Amino acid sequence: MKKRISLRSSPSLAMDNALSKLTPEQLERLAVAVICAQRRRVDHAQRLYDRLDSIQKSASTKDGEGDTLYHYTNAVLSMKAHHQIAAAVIDRLGYIPQGINSGER
């Protein structure tokens, strides 16, 4: 009986394999970088959401609504995808590094 081989690995397995090669110090540095990047993504998506909300509430013009909606959607998708990376790094590390909660970005 032949063994079935999958040519596609799961994203979580690929992340786990990559993270397993890092020292604890490297993993902590990566966690800080990933968390800060995630916060920037959240801030960016929030600014776009606020701009879109402002455009939609404006009775005078809807100029830019389509482009803003596109950029907001792109930002949200990017943020959600990056969230999985951040979660995997933090899970692997086992804790949230010092200084992250102080508002560093």
Side-chain angles (χ1 to χ4, degrees):
M1 184 170 176
K2 291 184 180 182
K3 184 177 178 182
R4 186 174 187 177
I5 298 174
S6 173
L7 298 178
R8 299 189 322 174
S9 83
S10 74
S12 60
L13 180 60
M15 281 192 280
D16 194 47
N17 285 339
L19 296 174
S20 70
K21 297 173 183 164
L22 297 178
T23 66
E25 293 80 18
Q26 291 170 324
L27 194 56
E28 185 169 307
R29 273 185 25 223
L30 181 61
V32 169
V34 165
I35 291 167
C36 291
Q38 182 66 5
R39 287 179 176 176
R40 286 189 300 272
R41 289 174 190 275
V42 169
D43 288 344
H44 178 65
Q46 183 63 51
R47 284 191 308 274
L48 288 167
Y49 175 82
D50 292 343
R51 186 182 314 153
L52 184 60
D53 187 50
S54 177
I55 290 169
Q56 290 173 341
K57 287 179 180 175
S58 173
S60 61
T61 181
K62 299 285 186 193
D63 289 344
E65 183 176 11
D67 283 345
T68 304
L69 179 59
Y70 167 82
H71 290 296
Y72 169 70
T73 302
N74 189 14
V76 168
L77 291 174
S78 177
M79 180 187 65
K80 294 291 187 182
H82 193 268
H83 177 78
Q84 293 179 358
I85 295 168
V89 172
I90 293 167
D91 283 349
R92 181 74 183 196
L93 182 60
Y95 61 92
I96 297 175
Q98 290 286 337
I100 288 298
N101 294 326
S102 66
E104 291 178 6
R105 290 187 191 217

